[in-house]
Amino acid sequence: MIPIHSTSYPIFFENSLQELRKFISESNYTKVFILVDSNTEIHCLPVVHDVLKDIDYDLIEVTPGEENKNIDFCIGIWRMLLDFGAERNSLLINLGGGVITDMGGFAASTFKRGIDFVQVPTTLLSQVDASVGGKTGIDMDNVKNVIGTFTQPKAVFINTEFLKTLDEREIRSGFAEVIKHGLIYDRLLFNTLKQAGPSGLTDAIIYRSVEIKNEVVKEDPFEKGLRKILNFGHTIGHAVESHSLSNGKNPLLHGEAIAIGFICEAYLSFKKNNLSETDLNETVEAIKSVYPAHHIKKESYPALLEIMKNDKKNNAGQISFSLLSEIGKCGFDKFCTEEEIFESLDFYSST
């Protein structure tokens, strides 16, 4: 597999960690740091260390979990960078899942007005989504990624061997973003995924998923138009995820919540954007075959709506959606009423 080139950085697949070593060796960084959480320190750092063993670096560790992707943990990262003497000509390597790549990218992009960073994503979710595209961010007051920047990494190094460290639930969570790329951009990929399921993932599928996201981001790096289609399922899905994080002892993972959003927003696509009933049913069937049903209480609808009202995509007080016109094609800047949103939640509960 050849490297995928974005507008400003390469995405490496084959021999990616050797490419990481080469990248550092050929650069002139005064200091190198690796950001990990307690999981990637145990399962992934030893693999990276074997490749970088003759390169000096300092380690920064944070606690895993979306609930820790906030300003307090960012302050901890900044403080460690200060304590270790980080200069503007330093490099931060983000080794982990979406929380690490989102928060590490944000910390790097703001420290001393910006230091270089690279992404080494270790989960399926971060490999096909969070590490690619230059979005960085943290959560605030249960609103996902409401604080962040558009800052491109210097490179992304994807090693699918890391996926062997994940349990089935984590793979299923990341699989949602792969499905999304098929739904919004590539019906052939969607058809492949229906047959393969999470257990049938291949390097070729992951490569194609990353390729799709990169194609969209190259066209619209700052989300003024086409890139908005990547938000399909996320307006409602992020609200469900945020509500789950604030109310449950076993909160939904990102992909589990986004899967709920897919069904709700596919219904809205049927009502508002001419998605055929056949494509609606096919989408629902594909999602339900992978993700177990989650009970959403009617009394939580107003709270979900309040979260949606803070969504970054909204315009003039209207809640904005990206909606399918058919499987493989998606529009954006579609606005739905409160009643329609509640109707979509009812639809999910009835499926």
Side-chain angles (χ1 to χ4, degrees):
M1 295 178 182
I2 61 173
I4 295 173
H5 285 272
S6 181
T7 51
S8 58
Y9 63 92
I11 304 169
F12 294 99
F13 284 83
E14 290 184 336
N15 303 314
S16 62
L17 296 183
Q18 291 296 334
E19 293 288 349
L20 172 62
R21 187 187 184 286
K22 180 182 177 183
F23 170 83
I24 297 172
S25 298
E26 292 179 351
S27 302
N28 192 31
Y29 292 112
T30 53
K31 287 184 177 292
V32 176
F33 303 90
I34 301 181
L35 177 66
V36 297
D37 63 28
S38 54
N39 293 325
T40 54
E41 182 181 17
I42 294 170
H43 299 293
C44 304
L45 182 61
V47 178
V48 174
H49 180 75
D50 283 347
V51 178
L52 305 184
K53 54 189 172 185
D54 59 340
I55 293 175
D56 290 331
Y57 64 83
D58 290 303
L59 192 66
I60 301 174
E61 182 187 332
V62 296
T63 306
E66 182 74 29
E67 65 273 17
N68 300 312
K69 197 178 80 175
N70 56 47
I71 192 65
D72 292 329
F73 276 82
C74 258
I75 290 171
I77 295 169
W78 292 325
R79 184 167 289 125
M80 290 296 291
L81 289 170
L82 276 175
D83 290 346
F84 282 132
E87 302 168 335
R88 270 189 163 175
N89 191 34
S90 298
L91 174 71
L92 181 64
I93 301 169
N94 297 316
L95 177 65
V99 171
I100 289 291
T101 57
D102 280 354
M103 183 163 59
F106 176 70
S109 70
T110 49
F111 183 77
K112 295 190 175 181
R113 294 195 174 94
I115 64 173
D116 286 354
F117 65 95
V118 299
Q119 310 286 36
V120 185
T122 60
T123 65
L124 179 59
L125 179 64
S126 60
Q127 289 185 357
V128 301
D129 185 55
S131 69
V132 177
K135 278 186 178 181
T136 78
I138 57 173
D139 307 339
M140 186 179 73
D141 293 341
N142 297 319
V143 180
K144 286 268 297 179
N145 299 323
V146 71
I147 308 296
T149 66
F150 284 102
T151 309
Q152 303 294 352
K154 300 304 289 185
V156 178
F157 303 90
I158 295 176
N159 184 345
T160 57
E161 288 297 305
F162 286 136
L163 302 184
K164 295 177 180 177
T165 68
L166 305 179
D167 62 25
E168 181 182 343
R169 188 182 177 198
E170 286 285 354
I171 291 289
R172 193 167 60 238
S173 176
F175 190 69
E177 294 289 355
V178 185
I179 292 175
K180 180 193 74 179
H181 291 153
L183 283 170
I184 66 171
Y185 201 81
D186 186 343
R187 182 158 198 152
L188 180 60
L189 174 62
F190 177 74
N191 291 340
T192 300
L193 295 172
K194 285 196 303 177
Q195 298 298 318
S199 62
L201 273 174
T202 63
D203 287 358
I205 288 174
I206 295 170
Y207 183 90
R208 177 56 183 153
S209 185
V210 174
E211 191 175 48
I212 288 171
K213 177 157 189 185
N214 187 62
E215 287 175 13
V216 172
V217 170
K218 283 176 71 173
E219 180 76 19
D220 177 24
F222 297 107
E223 202 169 310
K224 301 297 184 183
L226 180 66
R227 184 170 179 166
K228 294 179 183 180
I229 68 173
L230 295 170
N231 293 313
F232 172 69
H234 284 60
T235 300
I236 291 175
H238 270 169
V240 171
E241 182 182 8
S242 296
H243 191 263
S244 172
L245 283 166
S246 63
N247 289 279
K249 292 184 179 180
N250 184 28
L252 290 169
L253 298 180
H254 174 76
E256 295 168 338
I258 297 308
I260 295 170
F262 290 161
I263 292 177
C264 293
E265 296 182 28
Y267 175 78
L268 292 173
S269 300
F270 168 67
K271 297 289 287 188
K272 304 279 288 188
N273 203 40
N274 298 315
L275 183 72
S276 70
E277 188 171 5
T278 299
D279 278 2
L280 170 63
N281 292 336
E282 188 176 350
T283 300
V284 171
E285 182 181 344
I287 301 305
K288 288 182 65 180
S289 71
V290 177
Y291 299 93
H294 175 75
H295 179 59
I296 301 177
K297 297 178 181 177
K298 273 186 173 289
E299 52 264 37
S300 69
Y301 286 11
L304 293 172
L305 186 68
E306 285 304 308
I307 297 171
M308 290 180 224
K309 287 179 178 179
N310 286 316
D311 193 285
K312 303 180 294 299
K313 304 182 295 297
N314 294 346
N315 185 24
Q318 294 180 291
I319 298 175
S320 180
F321 291 83
S322 296
L323 300 178
L324 303 175
S325 56
E326 61 182 80
I327 293 174
K329 292 185 180 179
C330 189
F332 54 87
D333 289 341
K334 309 294 183 182
F335 301 100
C336 298
T337 66
E338 295 181 11
E339 292 75 16
E340 288 165 339
I341 293 169
F342 289 167
E343 192 177 318
S344 76
L345 290 164
D346 286 341
F347 175 78
Y348 171 77
S349 296
S350 71
T351 58

